[in-house]
Amino acid sequence: MLDLWRLRCFVAVGELEHVGSAAERLHISPSPLSRQIRQLEEELGLELFDRVGKRLQLTTAGRDFLGRARRLLESAETVEREGKRLASPNAGPVAVGYIQEAILNGMIPRVVKRLGPNSGISLLINQMRTVEQLRALEASKIDIGILSSPPTERHFECRLLSREPYSAVFSSEHRLARVQRLKLEHLRDEVWVGPPLEVWQTLSDLLSSRGAASVTAHATFDIAASFAMVREGIGYTIVQSNMSNWDVAGLVFRQLPRSWLNLELHAVWRRDALNGAGRRVLEQFSRDSGVE
């Protein structure tokens, strides 16, 4: 049987290819770490590293074994977490994946605050793309996902938590900053700025239906970058409407009609996979439900 600690030592050295740096990551001295690597090589009968001066380089076999070791450690962590869940079904760790919008509308922070340190629940939250959440749910790496659209697979259960419109954001000097009720025609010839989210494609399709031949876009990585460009008079961006409460100097928020676009947030979990602690967390998310 392979020693899991020894595998963790190997993964750290394999990723950093430096014993000293790996020892710092693991909070141990370099000498015992080097000893763990040698013992692992002896157990396997396999040379995992080429020694080049003070540095180590993974051999071809070492690179292959690194991937296998990572997967084994991930499986061990999942087994450990599941064991703790069985021991205390109404308490313990609950892993939640979420898209960025769930943080921006305050849902995730409110649930974390309500659970508090005395709930017996350790909430592990990770921002993940939709496809990453679905894979993690399948592999039991997270218990609950917060997504913008429910999956179609029957082994998932879903609950609609919120629905809100979007708002367009303009520079305070933009010609549309003074328009109170936006129409699609207002945006037809405008440049939009923002990350490549699904909402952009939906709006593009709407604009195309109103005669926009092509829509010019400037891609950004996050909302802060979008705001910075819009503030300088470069096009407009779109955000969920609750962000219109943000006091951002130089920007004006104008809500888009609900008939155009709506942001939905759904809680998703595997059927019959939630223990008592997971259901307690799900109840907290349901308390936030403001579906109209």
Side-chain angles (χ1 to χ4, degrees):
M1 293 288 290
L2 289 173
D3 183 277
L4 292 180
W5 168 244
R6 197 161 289 162
L7 283 181
R8 289 191 177 92
C9 290
F10 164 68
V11 168
V13 176
E15 290 178 344
L16 299 173
E17 294 193 328
H18 192 278
V19 172
S21 299
E24 290 180 10
R25 176 191 287 186
L26 297 169
H27 305 292
I28 62 174
S29 300
S31 295
L33 177 56
S34 296
R35 192 160 51 248
Q36 291 289 335
I37 298 302
R38 287 195 300 271
Q39 290 173 351
L40 179 61
E41 289 180 318
E42 291 172 3
E43 289 177 2
L44 297 173
L46 185 65
E47 191 170 312
L48 299 171
F49 295 97
D50 288 323
R51 275 71 176 176
V52 182
K54 293 185 178 181
R55 296 197 67 85
L56 302 178
Q57 290 183 349
L58 285 165
T59 62
T60 301
R63 283 193 294 272
D64 181 69
F65 188 69
L66 178 61
R68 297 172 187 271
R70 283 171 172 155
R71 291 192 292 272
L72 181 56
L73 289 174
E74 288 176 359
S75 297
E77 290 169 359
T78 299
V79 169
E80 180 182 9
R81 187 163 60 87
E82 292 300 317
K84 290 179 178 178
R85 288 173 49 159
L86 291 172
S88 303
N90 294 316
V94 177
V96 177
Y98 66 90
I99 57 175
Q100 178 179 249
E101 288 85 345
I103 281 282
L104 295 177
N105 81 351
M107 179 181 296
I108 294 286
R110 285 192 294 271
V111 169
V112 171
K113 183 177 180 179
R114 282 201 297 265
L115 284 170
N118 300 318
S119 65
I121 292 176
S122 174
L123 197 60
L124 312 173
I125 58 173
N126 294 282
Q127 183 172 323
M128 308 168 75
R129 293 180 297 123
T130 295
V131 65
E132 292 173 333
Q133 289 191 55
L134 294 176
R135 289 173 183 163
L137 285 165
E138 292 281 11
S140 297
K141 292 181 179 179
I142 63 173
D143 302 293
I144 300 171
I146 307 298
L147 310 174
S148 61
S149 57
T152 57
E153 292 85 348
R154 292 191 175 185
H155 57 278
F156 286 125
E157 291 192 54
C158 307
R159 183 174 299 171
L160 178 60
L161 300 177
S162 68
R163 181 188 293 117
E164 63 173 309
Y166 285 91
S167 287
V169 185
F170 305 97
S171 160
S172 57
E173 303 300 320
H174 194 282
R175 66 179 184 85
L176 295 178
R178 292 176 290 279
V179 176
Q180 296 299 318
R181 297 176 63 87
L182 286 174
K183 299 179 181 180
L184 277 173
E185 288 73 15
H186 288 135
L187 304 178
R188 188 170 55 192
D189 299 319
E190 293 295 325
V191 175
W192 73 38
V193 178
L197 301 177
E198 183 178 322
V199 62
W200 296 109
Q201 185 58 52
T202 303
L203 183 58
S204 177
D205 293 342
L206 282 170
L207 292 170
S208 296
S209 70
R210 295 300 180 92
S214 62
V215 179
T216 304
H218 294 300
T220 60
F221 291 104
D222 56 31
I223 290 172
S226 301
F227 281 1
M229 292 183 68
V230 170
R231 189 183 294 112
E232 293 300 318
I234 303 171
Y236 71 104
T237 192
I238 294 178
V239 297
Q240 57 205 87
S241 280
N242 78 295
M243 291 179 63
S244 60
N245 297 324
W246 293 18
D247 185 13
V248 185
L251 297 180
V252 172
F253 295 77
R254 292 289 179 259
Q255 184 170 306
L256 302 179
R258 289 181 178 271
S259 58
W260 296 10
L261 300 164
N262 285 286
L263 168 66
E264 293 186 350
L265 293 177
H266 300 258
V268 180
W269 64 98
R270 283 181 58 186
R271 192 179 302 276
D272 301 324
L274 283 186
N275 67 351
R279 295 200 172 277
R280 286 176 62 193
V281 172
L282 183 61
E283 288 171 5
Q284 293 299 322
F285 278 111
S286 298
R287 279 184 57 184
D288 243 55
S289 179
V291 181
E292 298 181 8

